[in-house]
Amino acid sequence: MPDLNELFKQAQKLKNEISRVREELKVKTVEASVANGKITIVANGHQEVQKVKLDPSVRQIKLSDLEEQMLSAINQVMQKSREMAKREMAKITGGIDLTNVPGLF
Amino acid sequence: MPDLNELFKQAQKLKNEISRVREELKVKTVEASVANGKITIVANGHQEVQKVKLDPSVRQIKLSDLEEQMLSAINQVMQKSREMAKREMAKITGGIDLTNVPGLF
């Protein structure tokens, strides 16, 4: 029979740790840069875009290429954001992926 | 004592349903349009951007405004994608939000 009181204490501690990491992820950022740095997108660890930076020279990029580059930058930064969240959470959960538990993130 | 065999069957059925909805969400799309339709972003239900559509007239938008509009379009489409996923999953889980269970999505 496991010690339920101890289990509860551990669960509560983990919950607090998750809240802390979740808050940290809101201000930690990742960025993706494409087209030789002409397009840069910054996102936080909650998959929210914080900043889009465009170099004036994007005006010279062919429109269809610009569309492709934007798409690539968005998907890259979202991927990086998810990976950062997983990595940070893994530090406190010992490798168990809790980044997407409903209500936590 | 619950009927474990019955519980297992129900869990298996739910798992299959989740897989089906997950596959559907990969091809279902949402879109966000800003700047009077000059910028449109299409994403699937897995928060992956499928298409960025730019009207040639985006060339006339001031660069700092274009950056703001892009940011807004990305965050809007991601929000819509998450909401669609939650809505579709809620149909089979009876309102329980399982969209972000690790490994499922």
Side-chain angles (χ1 to χ4, degrees), chain A residues 40 49-54 70, chain B residues 33-35 39 41 61-76:
Chain A
T40 300
V49 173
Q50 307 288 290
K51 185 106 190 126
V52 173
K53 296 183 225 170
L54 302 174
M70 285 296 321
Chain B
S33 205
V34 301
I39 302 168
I41 304 183
I61 301 175
K62 210 176 85 182
L63 209 64
S64 57
D65 290 342
L66 187 56
E67 290 173 334
E68 283 305 310
Q69 297 288 351
M70 285 297 322
L71 185 152
S72 174
I74 300 166
N75 284 338
Q76 280 180 43

mmCIF file of all heavy atoms in Angstrom, chain A residues 40 49-54 70, chain B residues 33-35 39 41 61-76:
data_model
loop_
_atom_site.group_PDB
_atom_site.id
_atom_site.type_symbol
_atom_site.label_atom_id
_atom_site.label_comp_id
_atom_site.label_asym_id
_atom_site.label_seq_id
_atom_site.Cartn_x
_atom_site.Cartn_y
_atom_site.Cartn_z
ATOM 1 N N THR A 40 12.430 37.308 -39.373
ATOM 2 C CA THR A 40 12.683 36.673 -38.076
ATOM 3 C C THR A 40 11.394 36.690 -37.267
ATOM 4 O O THR A 40 10.704 37.718 -37.206
ATOM 5 C CB THR A 40 13.791 37.419 -37.305
ATOM 6 O OG1 THR A 40 14.991 37.390 -38.092
ATOM 7 C CG2 THR A 40 14.061 36.771 -35.957
ATOM 8 N N VAL A 49 3.286 34.131 -30.733
ATOM 9 C CA VAL A 49 4.279 34.974 -31.395
ATOM 10 C C VAL A 49 4.370 36.314 -30.670
ATOM 11 O O VAL A 49 3.362 36.936 -30.340
ATOM 12 C CB VAL A 49 3.925 35.188 -32.885
ATOM 13 C CG1 VAL A 49 4.871 36.198 -33.520
ATOM 14 C CG2 VAL A 49 4.017 33.863 -33.628
ATOM 15 N N GLN A 50 5.609 36.723 -30.383
ATOM 16 C CA GLN A 50 5.856 37.968 -29.659
ATOM 17 C C GLN A 50 6.288 39.076 -30.597
ATOM 18 O O GLN A 50 6.055 40.249 -30.331
ATOM 19 C CB GLN A 50 6.979 37.759 -28.626
ATOM 20 C CG GLN A 50 6.760 36.591 -27.678
ATOM 21 C CD GLN A 50 5.685 36.864 -26.669
ATOM 22 O OE1 GLN A 50 5.862 37.673 -25.784
ATOM 23 N NE2 GLN A 50 4.544 36.221 -26.814
ATOM 24 N N LYS A 51 6.948 38.698 -31.690
ATOM 25 C CA LYS A 51 7.543 39.705 -32.567
ATOM 26 C C LYS A 51 7.772 39.123 -33.960
ATOM 27 O O LYS A 51 8.195 37.982 -34.093
ATOM 28 C CB LYS A 51 8.896 40.137 -31.946
ATOM 29 C CG LYS A 51 9.597 41.256 -32.655
ATOM 30 C CD LYS A 51 9.497 42.569 -31.871
ATOM 31 C CE LYS A 51 10.004 43.735 -32.711
ATOM 32 N NZ LYS A 51 9.045 44.825 -32.828
ATOM 33 N N VAL A 52 7.463 39.932 -34.968
ATOM 34 C CA VAL A 52 7.837 39.603 -36.348
ATOM 35 C C VAL A 52 8.759 40.724 -36.808
ATOM 36 O O VAL A 52 8.406 41.897 -36.702
ATOM 37 C CB VAL A 52 6.592 39.536 -37.271
ATOM 38 C CG1 VAL A 52 7.014 39.356 -38.734
ATOM 39 C CG2 VAL A 52 5.659 38.407 -36.840
ATOM 40 N N LYS A 53 9.952 40.360 -37.249
ATOM 41 C CA LYS A 53 10.909 41.379 -37.722
ATOM 42 C C LYS A 53 11.154 41.175 -39.210
ATOM 43 O O LYS A 53 11.563 40.097 -39.643
ATOM 44 C CB LYS A 53 12.243 41.252 -36.977
ATOM 45 C CG LYS A 53 12.164 41.523 -35.473
ATOM 46 C CD LYS A 53 13.566 41.446 -34.850
ATOM 47 C CE LYS A 53 13.546 40.644 -33.553
ATOM 48 N NZ LYS A 53 14.879 40.332 -33.013
ATOM 49 N N LEU A 54 10.900 42.231 -39.963
ATOM 50 C CA LEU A 54 11.103 42.161 -41.412
ATOM 51 C C LEU A 54 12.161 43.180 -41.821
ATOM 52 O O LEU A 54 12.083 44.357 -41.446
ATOM 53 C CB LEU A 54 9.786 42.466 -42.138
ATOM 54 C CG LEU A 54 8.595 41.553 -41.816
ATOM 55 C CD1 LEU A 54 7.338 42.066 -42.499
ATOM 56 C CD2 LEU A 54 8.884 40.122 -42.239
ATOM 57 N N MET A 70 7.608 32.953 -45.230
ATOM 58 C CA MET A 70 6.830 33.252 -44.025
ATOM 59 C C MET A 70 6.306 31.954 -43.413
ATOM 60 O O MET A 70 6.391 31.739 -42.203
ATOM 61 C CB MET A 70 5.637 34.152 -44.358
ATOM 62 C CG MET A 70 5.953 35.602 -44.638
ATOM 63 S SD MET A 70 6.660 36.531 -43.230
ATOM 64 C CE MET A 70 5.730 35.899 -41.863
ATOM 65 N N SER B 33 -7.563 36.146 -41.449
ATOM 66 C CA SER B 33 -7.315 37.139 -42.480
ATOM 67 C C SER B 33 -7.249 38.511 -41.813
ATOM 68 O O SER B 33 -8.107 38.853 -41.009
ATOM 69 C CB SER B 33 -8.474 37.070 -43.474
ATOM 70 O OG SER B 33 -8.064 37.546 -44.718
ATOM 71 N N VAL B 34 -6.213 39.262 -42.140
ATOM 72 C CA VAL B 34 -6.056 40.598 -41.544
ATOM 73 C C VAL B 34 -5.776 41.615 -42.645
ATOM 74 O O VAL B 34 -5.602 41.251 -43.805
ATOM 75 C CB VAL B 34 -4.928 40.630 -40.488
ATOM 76 C CG1 VAL B 34 -5.185 39.648 -39.358
ATOM 77 C CG2 VAL B 34 -3.569 40.371 -41.139
ATOM 78 N N ALA B 35 -5.711 42.877 -42.247
ATOM 79 C CA ALA B 35 -5.406 43.975 -43.180
ATOM 80 C C ALA B 35 -6.349 43.939 -44.385
ATOM 81 O O ALA B 35 -5.907 43.983 -45.531
ATOM 82 C CB ALA B 35 -3.936 43.916 -43.613
ATOM 83 N N ILE B 39 -3.588 39.847 -46.018
ATOM 84 C CA ILE B 39 -2.777 38.756 -45.449
ATOM 85 C C ILE B 39 -3.722 37.678 -44.928
ATOM 86 O O ILE B 39 -4.576 37.956 -44.081
ATOM 87 C CB ILE B 39 -1.905 39.253 -44.269
ATOM 88 C CG1 ILE B 39 -0.985 40.392 -44.720
ATOM 89 C CG2 ILE B 39 -1.106 38.100 -43.666
ATOM 90 C CD1 ILE B 39 -0.317 41.133 -43.558
ATOM 91 N N ILE B 41 -3.714 33.568 -43.491
ATOM 92 C CA ILE B 41 -2.927 32.394 -43.109
ATOM 93 C C ILE B 41 -3.871 31.224 -42.865
ATOM 94 O O ILE B 41 -4.895 31.374 -42.198
ATOM 95 C CB ILE B 41 -2.067 32.654 -41.850
ATOM 96 C CG1 ILE B 41 -1.164 33.882 -42.070
ATOM 97 C CG2 ILE B 41 -1.210 31.435 -41.527
ATOM 98 C CD1 ILE B 41 -0.225 34.175 -40.917
ATOM 99 N N ILE B 61 2.047 48.435 -47.631
ATOM 100 C CA ILE B 61 1.894 48.590 -46.178
ATOM 101 C C ILE B 61 3.246 48.969 -45.562
ATOM 102 O O ILE B 61 4.272 48.389 -45.901
ATOM 103 C CB ILE B 61 1.367 47.275 -45.531
ATOM 104 C CG1 ILE B 61 0.015 46.880 -46.128
ATOM 105 C CG2 ILE B 61 1.251 47.431 -44.015
ATOM 106 C CD1 ILE B 61 -0.519 45.533 -45.634
ATOM 107 N N LYS B 62 3.207 49.929 -44.653
ATOM 108 C CA LYS B 62 4.426 50.337 -43.940
ATOM 109 C C LYS B 62 5.033 49.115 -43.247
ATOM 110 O O LYS B 62 4.301 48.296 -42.677
ATOM 111 C CB LYS B 62 4.044 51.410 -42.902
ATOM 112 C CG LYS B 62 5.136 52.422 -42.598
ATOM 113 C CD LYS B 62 4.631 53.506 -41.644
ATOM 114 C CE LYS B 62 4.739 53.080 -40.191
ATOM 115 N NZ LYS B 62 4.205 54.095 -39.251
ATOM 116 N N LEU B 63 6.335 48.975 -43.263
ATOM 117 C CA LEU B 63 6.982 47.757 -42.765
ATOM 118 C C LEU B 63 6.609 47.419 -41.316
ATOM 119 O O LEU B 63 6.329 46.262 -40.993
ATOM 120 C CB LEU B 63 8.500 47.872 -42.906
ATOM 121 C CG LEU B 63 9.238 46.539 -43.097
ATOM 122 C CD1 LEU B 63 8.858 45.846 -44.379
ATOM 123 C CD2 LEU B 63 10.741 46.755 -43.033
ATOM 124 N N SER B 64 6.592 48.447 -40.458
ATOM 125 C CA SER B 64 6.273 48.181 -39.048
ATOM 126 C C SER B 64 4.814 47.729 -38.895
ATOM 127 O O SER B 64 4.497 46.906 -38.035
ATOM 128 C CB SER B 64 6.537 49.424 -38.194
ATOM 129 O OG SER B 64 5.787 50.515 -38.672
ATOM 130 N N ASP B 65 3.925 48.253 -39.754
ATOM 131 C CA ASP B 65 2.527 47.809 -39.726
ATOM 132 C C ASP B 65 2.410 46.376 -40.251
ATOM 133 O O ASP B 65 1.640 45.570 -39.718
ATOM 134 C CB ASP B 65 1.651 48.731 -40.584
ATOM 135 C CG ASP B 65 1.483 50.107 -39.960
ATOM 136 O OD1 ASP B 65 1.745 50.240 -38.747
ATOM 137 O OD2 ASP B 65 1.112 51.052 -40.681
ATOM 138 N N LEU B 66 3.183 46.092 -41.275
ATOM 139 C CA LEU B 66 3.167 44.738 -41.847
ATOM 140 C C LEU B 66 3.614 43.718 -40.798
ATOM 141 O O LEU B 66 3.020 42.642 -40.660
ATOM 142 C CB LEU B 66 4.093 44.703 -43.071
ATOM 143 C CG LEU B 66 4.098 43.433 -43.924
ATOM 144 C CD1 LEU B 66 2.701 43.085 -44.422
ATOM 145 C CD2 LEU B 66 5.056 43.591 -45.107
ATOM 146 N N GLU B 67 4.632 44.076 -40.025
ATOM 147 C CA GLU B 67 5.103 43.195 -38.955
ATOM 148 C C GLU B 67 3.992 42.944 -37.937
ATOM 149 O O GLU B 67 3.763 41.811 -37.510
ATOM 150 C CB GLU B 67 6.313 43.837 -38.243
ATOM 151 C CG GLU B 67 7.578 43.883 -39.094
ATOM 152 C CD GLU B 67 8.709 44.669 -38.433
ATOM 153 O OE1 GLU B 67 8.409 45.565 -37.602
ATOM 154 O OE2 GLU B 67 9.880 44.399 -38.744
ATOM 155 N N GLU B 68 3.287 44.010 -37.564
ATOM 156 C CA GLU B 68 2.193 43.887 -36.581
ATOM 157 C C GLU B 68 1.048 43.034 -37.125
ATOM 158 O O GLU B 68 0.465 42.226 -36.410
ATOM 159 C CB GLU B 68 1.662 45.276 -36.201
ATOM 160 C CG GLU B 68 2.537 46.045 -35.225
ATOM 161 C CD GLU B 68 2.819 45.253 -33.951
ATOM 162 O OE1 GLU B 68 1.870 44.743 -33.338
ATOM 163 O OE2 GLU B 68 4.002 45.129 -33.583
ATOM 164 N N GLN B 69 0.738 43.249 -38.400
ATOM 165 C CA GLN B 69 -0.366 42.499 -39.023
ATOM 166 C C GLN B 69 -0.029 41.021 -39.152
ATOM 167 O O GLN B 69 -0.883 40.152 -38.940
ATOM 168 C CB GLN B 69 -0.687 43.086 -40.413
ATOM 169 C CG GLN B 69 -1.181 44.521 -40.397
ATOM 170 C CD GLN B 69 -2.597 44.652 -39.852
ATOM 171 O OE1 GLN B 69 -3.284 43.660 -39.631
ATOM 172 N NE2 GLN B 69 -3.034 45.871 -39.628
ATOM 173 N N MET B 70 1.226 40.733 -39.497
ATOM 174 C CA MET B 70 1.653 39.330 -39.605
ATOM 175 C C MET B 70 1.536 38.649 -38.242
ATOM 176 O O MET B 70 1.024 37.541 -38.135
ATOM 177 C CB MET B 70 3.116 39.247 -40.069
ATOM 178 C CG MET B 70 3.368 39.539 -41.534
ATOM 179 S SD MET B 70 2.594 38.389 -42.712
ATOM 180 C CE MET B 70 2.783 36.824 -41.895
ATOM 181 N N LEU B 71 2.039 39.344 -37.207
ATOM 182 C CA LEU B 71 1.976 38.811 -35.845
ATOM 183 C C LEU B 71 0.530 38.489 -35.469
ATOM 184 O O LEU B 71 0.223 37.398 -34.976
ATOM 185 C CB LEU B 71 2.570 39.840 -34.879
ATOM 186 C CG LEU B 71 2.724 39.452 -33.411
ATOM 187 C CD1 LEU B 71 3.876 40.230 -32.776
ATOM 188 C CD2 LEU B 71 1.464 39.690 -32.603
ATOM 189 N N SER B 72 -0.342 39.432 -35.757
ATOM 190 C CA SER B 72 -1.753 39.255 -35.428
ATOM 191 C C SER B 72 -2.358 38.070 -36.175
ATOM 192 O O SER B 72 -3.069 37.241 -35.589
ATOM 193 C CB SER B 72 -2.505 40.550 -35.758
ATOM 194 O OG SER B 72 -3.873 40.376 -35.579
ATOM 195 N N ALA B 73 -2.052 37.960 -37.464
ATOM 196 C CA ALA B 73 -2.608 36.866 -38.273
ATOM 197 C C ALA B 73 -2.142 35.507 -37.755
ATOM 198 O O ALA B 73 -2.926 34.557 -37.660
ATOM 199 C CB ALA B 73 -2.208 37.049 -39.735
ATOM 200 N N ILE B 74 -0.848 35.426 -37.415
ATOM 201 C CA ILE B 74 -0.312 34.144 -36.922
ATOM 202 C C ILE B 74 -0.997 33.748 -35.616
ATOM 203 O O ILE B 74 -1.484 32.624 -35.461
ATOM 204 C CB ILE B 74 1.221 34.214 -36.688
ATOM 205 C CG1 ILE B 74 1.954 34.564 -37.989
ATOM 206 C CG2 ILE B 74 1.738 32.889 -36.137
ATOM 207 C CD1 ILE B 74 3.417 34.980 -37.772
ATOM 208 N N ASN B 75 -1.063 34.688 -34.665
ATOM 209 C CA ASN B 75 -1.663 34.346 -33.375
ATOM 210 C C ASN B 75 -3.153 34.013 -33.508
ATOM 211 O O ASN B 75 -3.659 33.128 -32.818
ATOM 212 C CB ASN B 75 -1.416 35.461 -32.358
ATOM 213 C CG ASN B 75 0.018 35.436 -31.825
ATOM 214 O OD1 ASN B 75 0.695 34.404 -31.876
ATOM 215 N ND2 ASN B 75 0.492 36.562 -31.328
ATOM 216 N N GLN B 76 -3.833 34.704 -34.411
ATOM 217 C CA GLN B 76 -5.255 34.407 -34.624
ATOM 218 C C GLN B 76 -5.465 32.998 -35.194
ATOM 219 O O GLN B 76 -6.339 32.259 -34.752
ATOM 220 C CB GLN B 76 -5.878 35.428 -35.587
ATOM 221 C CG GLN B 76 -6.245 36.747 -34.930
ATOM 222 C CD GLN B 76 -6.862 37.723 -35.935
ATOM 223 O OE1 GLN B 76 -7.685 37.346 -36.756
ATOM 224 N NE2 GLN B 76 -6.471 38.983 -35.866
#
